[in-house]
Amino acid sequence: MKLHAAAILVIFWLGVLPVHTVEGSASSQSMRKISCVDLSTQQLNIRNLISYEKQQTPVKAIMFITKKGIRICVSPNQKWVQTAMKKIDQKRTTKRR
């Protein structure tokens, strides 16, 4: 009887494992998009910023990405944000040449 129960559990486990793996990888791809909800009010050191992304929803924001990979959301209306975006764009065009 114990062997019969163990065989059923193994068959069940083998049947569930591939389905769980496929669902996990598909759902994790949809979760990769990070969006801003709260905005930081502090000015960041421009030298530590390597990239940015513009966002329109759920709030209008700029998401800066630091050298360490940290993502920080700020209001696009601030003057220092516009300056930082221009400097990042200039670095990108310089590297492409």
Side-chain angles (χ1 to χ4, degrees):
M1 183 67 178
K2 288 183 181 179
L3 183 60
H4 180 60
I8 291 173
L9 286 174
V10 169
I11 291 170
F12 176 75
W13 180 254
L14 291 174
V16 171
L17 186 61
V19 173
H20 179 69
T21 303
V22 171
E23 287 177 353
S25 63
S27 65
S28 64
Q29 289 178 355
S30 64
M31 294 294 288
R32 287 187 183 164
K33 184 66 177 170
I34 299 171
S35 60
C36 300
V37 179
D38 294 322
L39 303 179
S40 174
T41 56
Q42 291 185 331
Q43 183 171 341
L44 305 174
N45 186 340
I46 294 174
R47 287 179 273 154
N48 293 334
L49 305 176
I50 59 168
S51 183
Y52 68 89
E53 297 174 11
K54 294 180 181 180
Q55 175 185 297
Q56 297 297 323
T57 56
V59 293
K60 192 171 182 182
I62 301 297
M63 180 188 300
F64 283 116
I65 302 160
T66 68
K67 292 177 181 178
K68 293 183 178 181
I70 299 169
R71 297 172 185 267
I72 303 168
C73 299
V74 295
S75 171
N77 301 328
Q78 299 178 45
K79 187 174 180 173
W80 75 266
V81 172
Q82 299 296 322
T83 303
M85 291 168 54
K86 286 179 186 175
K87 289 198 181 228
I88 291 170
D89 290 340
Q90 288 172 350
K91 287 181 188 177
R92 287 180 185 167
T93 57
T94 304
K95 287 183 180 180
R96 289 182 185 164
R97 292 181 184 177

